[in-house]
Amino acid sequence: MKKLILLVALVFAISNVASAAIITDVVRRNSTNDPPVIATNLQEDSLCFVDRTHEYNALPLVGIDYVQVANNDKTVGAYELDVTLGSSATLYLVIDNRVGGTADTGGLGDWAGVDPDLSTKMTWVTSMGFADTGYDIGIDEKGNGVIDKWSSVFSKDVPAGTITLLEQNDGGGRNMYGVAAVPEPATLALLGFGGLAMLRRKR
């Protein structure tokens, strides 16, 4: 399915939860790389990982809790990540569009508007009931204000408690998946941004 790349930003307006953390704990197993960190208030240019300077751009999700994972964990075959939620939530996975695909050819926009192939890699995502939202998030890998790669946003409504996410393990040429959460119920509000706002330069 050809994916719509954001020309608008979706902002989640969540009442009465602004000061309450939704992700209350994360525990990573079977890896000796840098441990994950819970971060709040996801914004343009927020860091994606604990071990890289990659930044999120063209976000459909802002002001919410997310997890800075280790990008080096992308090749760990027995990877497990326990994410504990303080209340019922919509849980998001940010999955590199190159997962399950051909080797990375480089270049701006090469992986924009395509879907990751989860038929042989990360099969647990769809088995657990995560669905592609149809939106992409940009990854600025150099911190220079230019989107280098794109990732798809998958979502699943989950109850309060702990959910265990599994491995990516699709080689070193992709970025590790990200995790974010927003409490339920949430209201989607469309805020228009013109043209190529998603490719804007940083100040």
Side-chain angles (χ1 to χ4, degrees), residues 29-31 33 72-80 167-169:
R29 289 189 294 277
N30 303 323
S31 172
N33 295 317
N72 285 339
D73 280 337
K74 59 192 173 185
T75 60
V76 177
Y79 182 87
E80 292 183 345
E167 81 292 334
Q168 179 167 300
N169 198 27

Side-chain angles (χ1 to χ4, degrees), residues 161-186:
T162 300
I163 182 170
T164 300
L165 308 175
L166 301 176
E167 81 292 334
Q168 179 167 300
N169 198 27
D170 189 31
R174 291 81 165 95
N175 286 314
M176 180 61 173
Y177 69 84
V179 180
V182 61
E184 293 182 318

Side-chain angles (χ1 to χ4, degrees), residues 45-95:
D45 306 333
S46 290
L47 289 176
C48 306
F49 306 111
V50 292
D51 56 353
R52 298 290 195 282
T53 57
H54 296 18
E55 298 173 350
Y56 285 124
N57 278 185
L59 289 171
L61 317 168
V62 298
I64 64 174
D65 286 5
Y66 74 108
V67 181
Q68 292 175 351
V69 297
N71 204 13
N72 285 339
D73 280 337
K74 59 192 173 185
T75 60
V76 177
Y79 182 87
E80 292 183 345
L81 183 69
D82 287 344
V83 179
T84 301
L85 304 166
S87 66
S88 59
T90 300
L91 188 64
Y92 295 97
L93 300 180
V94 180
I95 302 176

Side-chain angles (χ1 to χ4, degrees), residues 71-168:
N71 204 13
N72 285 339
D73 280 337
K74 59 192 173 185
T75 60
V76 177
Y79 182 87
E80 292 183 345
L81 183 69
D82 287 344
V83 179
T84 301
L85 304 166
S87 66
S88 59
T90 300
L91 188 64
Y92 295 97
L93 300 180
V94 180
I95 302 176
D96 194 316
N97 285 347
R98 297 168 291 172
V99 167
T102 57
D104 181 17
T105 57
L108 177 64
D110 278 3
W111 293 92
V114 301
D115 299 310
D117 181 358
L118 305 185
S119 61
T120 59
K121 296 294 182 180
M122 297 185 72
T123 57
W124 56 270
V125 172
T126 52
S127 295
M128 290 178 62
F130 285 92
D132 194 335
T133 65
Y135 290 99
D136 281 353
I137 283 180
I139 308 295
D140 173 4
E141 295 184 340
K142 302 178 182 66
N144 62 0
V146 175
I147 294 173
D148 301 290
K149 296 297 180 287
W150 293 90
S151 295
S152 293
V153 182
F154 285 71
S155 71
K156 172 184 171 67
D157 293 338
V158 296
T162 300
I163 182 170
T164 300
L165 308 175
L166 301 176
E167 81 292 334
Q168 179 167 300

